[in-house]
Amino acid sequence: MLKSPLQIARSAYKPKMPVALNGFVRLEEGEKTQSVADQEEISKLFPNTYGMPIIHMVPGEKPDNIRVNVGVILSGGQAPGGHNVICGLFDGLKKLNPENKLYGFLGGPSGLIEHKYTLLTEDIINEYRNTGGFDIIGSGRTKLEETWQFDKGIEICRELDIKAIVIIGGDDSNTNACVLAEYYKQKNVGIQVIGCPKTIDGDLKNEQIETSFGFDTACKTYSELIGNIQRDANSAKKYWHFIRLMGRSASHIALECALQSQPNICLISEEVEACNYTLNDIVDQIVNVIVARAEAGLNFGTILIPEGLIEFIPAMKKLIQELNDILANNEEFVSLETNDEKRQYVKGMLSPDSRQVYRDLPKGIAMQLTLDRDPHGNVMVSQIETEKLLIEMVAKKLAQLKGEGKYKGKFSALNHFFGYEGRCAIPSNFDADYCYSIGITATHLIAAGKTGYMALVNNLTAPAAEWKAGGVPITMMMNMERRNGKLKPVIQKALVDLKGKPFLYFKAHRAEWADANTSYIYPGPIQYYGPSEVCDLPTQTLLLEKGKIE
Ligand code: FBP
C-alpha cells in the first residue's frame, strides 16, 4: 500500500493505554442493571441477556489457555479509529494465545450472512495500524434482524470455529449486536457477541459510554476547515458561509465544532425542536444576525447547520413520521412508476397539516424525504441540502427587507457540506488510543465468556494511563422506539442535552460570537506529534461535560 511520510511515521505509533490493560485482567462485577426505559418490555424481549452487571477490569493473572477464534464486523458509517479497534482485538487475541485467529467479515454485517470473510494476519494488521477508514474489511448497513440471517451466522462460525463475533457500530448496529447475542444465547450455540461504540455522530453515549470513537477526529477535522473558512471570511469580508455538518440526528458535531471555532451562528436541532421553531423562525433568526452585522459594516460570517435539522423542526418531524408509516412495507407505493405518481399517492395519505408542509417544500427535498431510506428506515439526511434551502429562504427575506428599507447590506452566500471529509481522517491520538484500548477490552470480555456486552473504556479526560476499562450490558442502553411503523427495542440515542454544560456554554456565548467584529478561533490541523496538551486533547464537549473546563 502506498503511504505518505505521515502514515509511515504513524504506523510506528504505539497507542497509549489504561494501566489495567497493559497486562492481563480480572473482571469485577457491579450491581445488576436495568434498561434506561421500558424495563418490562425489554426484559421480556431479552430474557437471557437482560439485567447483567456492569464489569470493571483490574490488573490480574494470565487466564488459562484461551483458545478462541473471533469474527469482526465493521458496521455503518466510517469513523476514524475503526482499524485500531481491530488491531487491538488482534493483538489482544494473540497475547492470549498465538494460535487464536481473527477473521474479518467483509462489507459489514452482510459478510456474516453471505459468508464473505478474510483471515486477518499480522502483515495485514500492520498495514492498517493508526490509519483512518474501514477499508481493511469494508463496512455496510445491512440490518441483522431475521432469524435466517442469525442462522447463516451460526453456519459460518461453526465452519471457522468462531466462538465470538465483535460488532463495531453505532446505536443501530449495537442494537443488532444485542439481538444477535440474545438469539445465540437462547439457542445455546456457544457464540458470544460483543459490541464496540462507533460513530462520528457522538450520539452513542450514556452514563457509562462517555463518547463514541471517531467523534473526536471528525470534529477536529471539520473544525480545522471551519477555522480556515473563517479566516478567509475575515480576510475577504464578502461572503456568508453556510456550512452543513454531518451528524444524522443529534447536533453534537455542530455543537462541538462551534465550541472549537466560535462561528457567528450555530443552529442546534434539539433547541429548534424544544422551542417549536418553524423553518421561518429559523430563517428570521439568521436574518436578524445578518442585518445586525451589516449595520456594523460586516457583510460576512459563518453559520453551522446540523445535518439532522430538518427532522427536528416539529412540523417536518410529524411529516417524516407520517411518511415512514405510509412507506413501511407499502407494495402499492413501490409499484408506482414515476416520482409524480409517488408524490400524489403520498399527498393523498398525509394528514391535512403534513400535506400542507409537504406541498410547501421544494420538489427535490420532498422527493428526498419520500424516496431515500437507509436499511434501518431512517431518512438519509446527508443527501438533503438544508444549507441551500436556507440560503434561498434567507436571500428572499433579505430582499424583502431591502425593499422595505430595513437592510442595506450585501448578501453573498456560499454553501459547504462537511461530512465525508472527516469520516476517514487519520485518527487523532485520542481516537487511536481509545480505539486500541476498546479492541483490547473486547478481547478480555471474550476471554471471560461474556456476551451481550459493549466494550467500555472511560475516565477519558484523564491521561490514557488512568482510563478505566470494562463492559456494559447493551440491554442497559435500550428503550422501545417506533421504527418502520412498529415499536422496536433500540439503543437510546443521546441527543444534545439542552441543560448540559456544552450547550449552556454555547448559549452563554453565542450572542457575543454573532455580533463581534470577530470572535473566530482557528483551530488548525490535528497534531499527532508534540506536547500532550496539544496532541492528546479530548473534545470540548467531553471536557465541559466532565467539568474540566468552565
Ligand atoms: P453511523 O451512525 O453509522 O456511524 O453513520 C454516521 C453517518 O456518518 C451520519 O453522520 C450520516 O448521516 C450517515 O452516516 C451517512 O451515511 P452514508 O455513509 O450511508 O452516506
Side-chain angles (χ1 to χ4, degrees):
M1 195 194 292
L2 292 174
K3 285 192 169 169
S4 68
L6 175 62
Q7 275 186 315
I8 294 166
R10 277 307 271 181
S11 344
Y13 176 76
K14 293 269 171 275
K16 300 183 280 299
M17 276 206 296
V19 169
L21 296 185
N22 283 332
F24 293 96
V25 301
R26 182 165 55 78
L27 270 49
E28 285 181 350
E29 298 195 346
E31 298 285 299
K32 291 215 165 299
T33 57
Q34 288 210 323
S35 59
V36 278
D38 309 312
Q39 289 86 8
E40 210 181 312
E41 289 93 328
I42 307 281
S43 63
K44 273 193 200 136
L45 289 166
F46 296 90
N48 296 288
T49 50
Y50 187 83
M52 300 183 298
I54 291 184
I55 288 169
H56 303 285
M57 292 179 182
V58 294
E61 301 295 312
K62 183 170 194 268
D64 289 342
N65 188 27
I66 302 275
R67 178 66 192 86
V68 62
N69 292 346
V70 173
V72 62
I73 298 171
L74 287 165
S75 183
Q78 283 69 252
H83 287 162
N84 267 26
V85 178
I86 296 182
C87 296
L89 257 176
F90 181 87
D91 293 347
L93 284 173
K94 293 289 177 189
K95 193 165 159 188
L96 285 170
N97 184 336
E99 297 292 306
N100 289 340
K101 289 185 184 144
L102 179 62
Y103 290 96
F105 286 107
L106 303 177
S110 63
L112 179 74
I113 305 163
E114 293 163 12
H115 299 182
K116 293 193 177 134
Y117 63 89
T118 190
L119 176 67
L120 293 165
T121 60
E122 182 86 45
D123 284 350
I124 298 175
I125 291 290
N126 287 343
E127 280 288 301
Y128 288 92
R129 289 186 191 275
N130 310 305
T131 56
F134 277 7
D135 42 322
I136 186 169
I137 49 173
S139 184
R141 290 194 186 277
T142 301
K143 192 163 167 54
L144 290 176
E145 58 180 353
E146 301 195 33
T147 48
W148 71 265
Q149 299 174 312
F150 307 160
D151 293 338
K152 291 299 277 179
I154 299 174
E155 272 174 31
I156 190 67
C157 287
R158 293 231 162 102
E159 192 180 316
L160 301 174
D161 193 22
I162 287 175
K163 294 279 170 6
I165 297 172
V166 174
I167 298 183
I168 302 172
D171 52 341
D172 284 332
S173 311
N174 275 288
T175 297
N176 294 174
C178 197
V179 174
L180 197 62
E182 175 67 28
Y183 183 80
Y184 287 166
K185 195 145 184 211
Q186 177 215 323
K187 288 224 139 189
N188 200 17
V189 290
I191 306 170
Q192 302 158 242
V193 184
I194 299 294
C196 296
K198 170 236 71 165
T199 177
I200 61 162
D201 294 2
D203 55 8
L204 173 45
K205 63 175 174 180
N206 46 50
E207 268 183 38
Q208 282 73 38
I209 305 287
E210 293 177 354
T211 187
S212 53
F213 77 75
F215 176 68
D216 184 87
T217 310
C219 289
K220 283 174 180 160
T221 306
Y222 303 142
S223 298
E224 179 204 352
L225 298 175
I226 295 162
N228 294 350
I229 286 177
Q230 293 189 149
R231 198 131 215 178
D232 195 292
N234 198 34
S235 306
K237 302 195 189 294
K238 61 178 179 181
Y239 295 123
W240 271 93
H241 295 268
F242 285 61
I243 306 168
R244 176 164 54 106
L245 289 157
M246 225 178 213
R248 223 201 68 74
S249 185
S251 308
H252 297 293
I253 294 182
L255 178 57
E256 172 63 23
C257 291
L259 295 168
Q260 288 191 30
S261 64
Q262 302 192 175
N264 300 108
I265 300 176
C266 174
L267 303 173
I268 300 294
S269 308
E270 291 81 348
E271 187 183 29
V272 166
E273 181 172 38
C275 298
N276 216 354
Y277 291 145
T278 62
L279 201 49
N280 284 328
D281 294 333
I282 297 169
V283 169
D284 285 347
Q285 286 165 16
I286 296 174
V287 164
N288 289 344
V289 173
I290 293 177
V291 170
R293 282 178 69 79
E295 277 163 14
L298 307 169
N299 288 302
F300 66 93
T302 46
I303 304 179
L304 306 190
I305 304 155
E307 179 179 76
L309 179 70
I310 215 95
E311 278 194 288
F312 281 78
I313 299 170
M316 296 289 299
K317 188 176 185 170
K318 182 164 178 279
L319 167 67
I320 291 170
Q321 190 63 58
E322 286 186 28
L323 286 172
N324 287 346
D325 290 351
I326 293 169
L327 300 180
N329 306 319
N330 187 332
E331 285 172 15
E332 200 181 338
F333 174 82
V334 175
S335 71
L336 298 172
E337 279 179 11
T338 67
N339 282 354
D340 265 353
E341 281 175 320
K342 290 185 174 166
R343 265 161 55 89
Q344 291 312 326
Y345 175 85
V346 161
K347 265 196 225 162
M349 308 272 285
L350 290 169
S351 67
D353 285 356
S354 295
R355 191 175 312 136
Q356 190 55 48
V357 177
Y358 190 75
R359 252 194 222 128
D360 291 348
L361 285 174
K363 242 187 183 172
I365 296 209
M367 246 12 257
Q368 278 167 332
L369 290 181
T370 313
L371 293 180
D372 301 328
R373 292 287 185 285
D374 72 9
H376 299 273
N378 300 316
V379 173
M380 292 166 72
V381 280
S382 65
Q383 319 280 328
I384 300 177
E385 295 175 316
T386 334
E387 70 284 19
K388 289 191 186 161
L389 176 71
L390 287 175
I391 290 177
E392 209 180 298
M393 294 179 76
V394 165
K396 218 168 171 186
K397 183 83 201 226
L398 287 171
Q400 182 198 324
L401 291 180
K402 199 162 234 174
E404 294 166 6
K406 293 178 185 154
Y407 169 64
K408 298 196 171 53
K410 268 176 70 184
F411 179 67
S412 188
L414 294 175
N415 61 281
H416 313 263
F417 170 45
F418 297 148
Y420 301 96
E421 292 80 350
R423 289 203 316 186
C424 285
I426 299 179
S428 61
N429 283 359
F430 176 88
D431 274 327
D433 299 346
Y434 181 39
C435 289
Y436 190 76
S437 296
I438 289 174
I440 296 277
T441 302
T443 52
H444 290 308
L445 290 171
I446 293 167
K450 301 294 172 192
T451 191
Y453 274 86
M454 190 180 286
L456 169 71
V457 177
N458 59 15
N459 197 30
L460 297 170
T461 50
E466 293 165 33
W467 292 355
K468 308 258 181 274
V472 54
I474 304 180
T475 50
M476 190 181 176
M477 307 169 193
M478 294 187 122
N479 67 167
M480 301 297 290
E481 285 177 25
R482 232 177 146 65
R483 293 288 169 92
N484 277 334
K486 284 196 196 125
L487 266 183
K488 294 239 164 122
V490 291
I491 293 180
Q492 194 176 58
K493 231 182 229 315
L495 299 177
V496 167
D497 177 3
L498 299 180
K499 294 199 178 88
K501 288 186 183 164
F503 178 77
L504 292 178
Y505 181 92
F506 162 73
K507 194 174 165 191
H509 291 84
R510 65 179 158 190
E512 136 209 348
W513 300 348
D515 285 353
N517 189 351
T518 170
S519 301
Y520 299 149
I521 291 179
Y522 314 117
I526 294 175
Q527 298 297 305
Y528 299 95
Y529 301 98
S532 184
E533 67 272 19
V534 178
C535 300
D536 300 326
L537 198 65
T539 57
Q540 297 292 300
T541 303
L542 205 47
L543 290 168
L544 283 159
E545 279 172 351
K546 297 288 161 200
K548 300 291 170 182
I549 49 176
E550 290 301 325

